[in-house]
């Protein structure tokens, strides 16, 4: 069964600290993996997209890694800011089909 | 630049009433269009997608329907709402294939 699981479900960190969010997937065959940031009551916004052959991709303070062998991805946030408080969603695209598999997200709260 | 609009932003409807949510995209032609629902504490669920005018694919059987009367207009409808239809509805578009998806601001629907 194609699934995308994210951990932790929620996370609270102090402003300025780093954190890492995890995504494990069983989707196969795999085309690409995306990380989105969703502010409360808003639509998701893309942070990174990685294909099978990419191991890491950065977008400012956000760095995503991908291990296609173990089917794991992580999103590392450096020097967190209050505006990083949001849900972070991992999405995996199934090759050759119009199918995206969404994780349930990690709710990150950054406190001063 | 491309923009995506959804309205209304919030909606409270009684059980059994009809529904019409509208999504329009500007600045691109022949986009792929998507309707998603996000229930509280749950991941995004793809409801419908469209690769062209009049072409609608349904991902899950349900009380909802979708239509694409114009190239950049996508409508989500229901003849009779159920309590379980409550949620956050997101419209998204992408270019050819299933590349990067861009989400609208969403509609919060509460069925009472």
């Amino acid at each position: 069964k194609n699934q995308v699981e994210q951990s932790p479900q929620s996370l609270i960190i102090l402003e300025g600290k780093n954190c890492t969010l995890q995504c494990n997937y069983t989707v196969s065959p795999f085309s690409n993996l995306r990380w989105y940031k969703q502010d409360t009551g808003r639509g998701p916004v893309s942070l990174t997209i990685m294909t099978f052959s990419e191991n890491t991709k950065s977008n400012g303070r956000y760095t995503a890694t991908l291990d296609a062998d173990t089917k794991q991805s992580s999103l590392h946030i450096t020097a967190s800011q209050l505006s990083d408080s949001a849900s972070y969603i991992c999405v995996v695209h199934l090759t050759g089909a119009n199918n995206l598999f969404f994780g349930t997200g990690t709710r990150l709260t950054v406190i001063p | 630049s491309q923009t995506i609009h959804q309205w209304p932003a919030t909606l409270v409807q009684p059980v059994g009433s009809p529904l019409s949510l509208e999504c329009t995209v500007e600045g691109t032609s022949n986009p792929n269009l998507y309707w998603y629902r996000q229930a509280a504490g749950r991941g995004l669920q793809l409801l419908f997608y469209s690769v062209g005018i009049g072409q609608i694919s349904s991902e899950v059987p349900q009380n909802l329907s979708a239509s694409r009367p114009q190239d950049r207009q996508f409508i989500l409808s229901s003849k009779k709402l159920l309590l379980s239809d409550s949620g956050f509805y997101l419209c998204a578009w992408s270019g050819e294939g299933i590349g990067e998806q861009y989400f609208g601001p969403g509609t919060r629907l509460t069925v009472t």
Side-chain angles (χ1 to χ4, degrees):
Chain A
K1 182 180 178 182
N2 289 314
Q3 284 187 316
V4 178
E5 296 183 350
Q6 291 186 244
S7 62
Q9 274 192 320
S10 61
L11 182 63
I12 301 173
I13 62 172
L14 290 173
E15 186 179 10
K17 297 295 185 182
N18 304 334
C19 68
T20 300
L21 314 181
Q22 299 291 343
C23 174
N24 297 337
Y25 62 93
T26 59
V27 177
S28 181
F30 162 90
S31 175
N32 60 66
L33 185 146
R34 312 148 187 226
W35 282 95
Y36 284 87
K37 177 186 178 187
Q38 184 178 20
D39 293 315
T40 301
R42 307 287 293 275
V45 175
S46 178
L47 295 175
T48 63
I49 179 169
M50 290 183 291
T51 61
F52 180 87
S53 60
E54 295 177 292
N55 300 120
T56 185
K57 183 162 283 189
S58 293
N59 178 1
R61 294 180 296 102
Y62 301 101
T63 299
T65 64
L66 174 63
D67 186 334
D69 291 331
T70 61
K71 297 185 177 179
Q72 296 179 326
S73 176
S74 64
L75 180 69
H76 186 74
I77 304 175
T78 304
S80 61
Q81 300 176 0
L82 297 178
S83 59
D84 292 331
S85 295
S87 289
Y88 291 84
I89 303 171
C90 175
V91 184
V92 181
H93 175 208
L94 186 69
T95 298
N98 208 1
N99 292 72
L100 292 178
F101 292 86
F102 289 80
T104 54
T106 292
R107 177 68 201 174
L108 174 66
T109 303
V110 181
I111 58 176
Chain B
S1 63
Q2 301 87 4
T3 55
I4 179 168
H5 304 279
Q6 281 186 249
W7 64 90
T10 60
L11 190 60
V12 180
Q13 292 282 96
V15 168
S17 63
L19 173 74
S20 179
L21 303 181
E22 190 162 344
C23 171
T24 58
V25 181
E26 296 177 355
T28 187
S29 58
N30 196 32
N32 293 334
L33 296 172
Y34 310 83
W35 276 113
Y36 291 90
R37 175 169 59 203
Q38 188 175 37
R42 306 284 295 276
L44 284 161
Q45 179 188 36
L46 179 63
L47 302 175
F48 302 94
Y49 69 90
S50 171
V51 298
I53 295 174
Q55 300 178 61
I56 309 293
S57 296
S58 174
E59 288 297 299
V60 292
Q62 59 205 315
N63 184 41
L64 302 168
S65 62
S67 62
R68 185 170 178 174
Q70 300 180 44
D71 182 44
R72 289 168 287 178
Q73 183 185 29
F74 206 21
I75 297 173
L76 183 68
S77 305
S78 174
K79 292 182 179 178
K80 290 185 178 182
L81 283 169
L82 306 172
L83 285 174
S84 58
D85 291 325
S86 292
F88 190 51
Y89 288 82
L90 287 158
C91 180
W93 75 272
S94 71
E96 187 176 345
I98 191 168
E100 188 62 70
Q101 289 199 0
Y102 302 91
F103 288 84
T107 294
R108 172 74 58 192
L109 172 66
T110 304
V111 182
T112 60

